[in-house]
Amino acid sequence: QVQLVESGGGLVQPGGSLRLSCAASGMIFSLWAMNWYRQVPGKEREWVASITRDGSTNYADSVKGRFTISRDNAKKSLYLQMSSLTPGDTAVYYCNCPRCGPATYWGQGTQVTVSS
């Protein structure tokens, strides 16, 4: 079965940096585009960034210039490098494979808290 497992979340001060990872299994990772999303309790899940199977990227305006999405197909891993973090970035972050099957696939999420 397809499995996505996020890691790397935690508490960071405003202006700090954090790198999130998503380990994929149960699929041919190199074939699929991937996304990062985030969600605050009580609010709709928000798309953050995407990357194609050959490395082309897109970002939400709110994170453009601060976040970098990348992938390592040999390691079957997806990454999100986050810099210049603000309290507005506080959320649970999820990796997503939109076309791994009939339904989109999600990890369990990792909490990122930006606070002084």
Side-chain angles (χ1 to χ4, degrees), residues 71-109:
R71 67 192 298 160
D72 186 332
N73 288 340
K75 296 180 179 179
K76 301 182 71 172
S77 293
L78 178 74
Y79 306 100
L80 187 68
Q81 178 66 51
M82 306 183 294
S83 300
S84 301
L85 287 163
T86 75
D89 297 315
T90 295
V92 177
Y93 284 73
Y94 299 89
C95 64
N96 162 253
C97 185
R99 287 175 288 278
C100 286
T104 188
Y105 286 85
W106 301 92
Q108 290 298 114

Side-chain angles (χ1 to χ4, degrees), residues 51-70:
I51 186 167
T52 69
R53 60 187 181 186
D54 61 352
S56 297
T57 60
N58 283 290
Y59 299 92
D61 288 342
S62 59
V63 307
K64 192 173 297 182
R66 300 187 298 119
F67 290 13
T68 301
I69 187 172
S70 62

